[in-house]
Amino acid sequence: ITAALESLDPGMSAEEVAASGCAAILRLKDIDSSLLFLVDGADGRVLAVEGRLAAEMPVGQPISPGAARYLGDRLRVGPWTEEMKARGNQGDWGARIAASGLHTVATARLPVPGRVQLGLVIGTHDADNADRIIEHLPALVTFASVLGAVVGPGLEGSMRDSAARGNIKAIVEQGDFS
């Protein structure tokens, strides 16, 4: 955690910090994938991903509404581990995870202000490492807490900019200007 924090540059964007955090967490033994996601009600997307899961879950990949609601509900309860199974309500998100062969994950919430929730996931594709995922949960929770403090402020600005661009794009596309 300390080494990862020392590598962060204050001038980095929220997305760059998220990517750096995901890369750093891969240093944990038996972990081959890490992912940072954002959920807001039934909307969600991948903010950063590293490791084997990256081929199936590119940055910016939307999270299906069913999966976003499930993840948001779980994040409100607290950190958890689970064996990955495709669930019918998770749509393309669940299918992509199943296609990647991801076996087991641990997930922790990043404390950020506002209604948006961020989750940090570590995972293994190797069934032999699945039982050891829970051993990493305390480190994951600690790292998520620190990463949230660094990512949160930049993410708010990034989301405001994105919303403003979306509004302007809609006005131009609809010709709602004179």
Side-chain angles (χ1 to χ4, degrees), residues 167-178:
N167 289 339
I168 292 169
K169 183 179 178 186
I171 289 169
V172 170
E173 286 175 353
Q174 296 170 6
D176 274 349
F177 58 91
S178 58

Side-chain angles (χ1 to χ4, degrees), residues 37-45 63-73 75-76 115-117:
F37 65 88
L38 173 147
V39 291
D40 183 2
D43 295 321
R45 65 183 161 96
I63 298 173
S64 67
R69 282 188 291 273
Y70 170 78
L71 292 168
D73 290 346
L75 286 172
R76 281 187 280 283
R115 67 180 223 197
V116 171
Q117 296 184 83

Side-chain angles (χ1 to χ4, degrees), residues 44-174:
R45 65 183 161 96
V46 174
L47 290 180
V49 61
E50 294 289 333
R52 288 185 56 187
L53 194 56
E56 296 297 330
M57 290 287 162
V59 172
Q61 171 74 38
I63 298 173
S64 67
R69 282 188 291 273
Y70 170 78
L71 292 168
D73 290 346
R74 292 297 306 259
L75 286 172
R76 281 187 280 283
V77 174
W80 76 93
T81 63
E82 69 181 316
E83 185 176 328
M84 295 309 299
K85 297 176 183 161
R87 293 174 176 84
N89 67 342
Q90 293 187 352
D92 187 48
W93 170 264
R96 286 178 174 272
I97 290 175
S100 80
L102 187 63
H103 188 277
T104 304
V105 298
T107 306
R109 182 178 178 272
L110 281 72
V112 293
R115 67 180 223 197
V116 171
Q117 296 184 83
L118 298 178
L120 180 60
V121 177
I122 57 172
T124 183
H125 288 73
D126 186 347
D128 293 337
N129 294 335
D131 290 341
R132 290 188 287 281
I133 286 282
I134 198 162
E135 295 170 8
H136 295 301
L137 201 52
L140 179 66
V141 169
T142 300
F143 190 69
S145 294
V146 174
L147 193 59
V150 178
V151 170
L155 184 63
E156 287 181 43
S158 177
M159 289 177 65
R160 276 193 309 273
D161 292 348
S162 180
R165 278 191 300 278
N167 289 339
I168 292 169
K169 183 179 178 186
I171 289 169
V172 170
E173 286 175 353
Q174 296 170 6

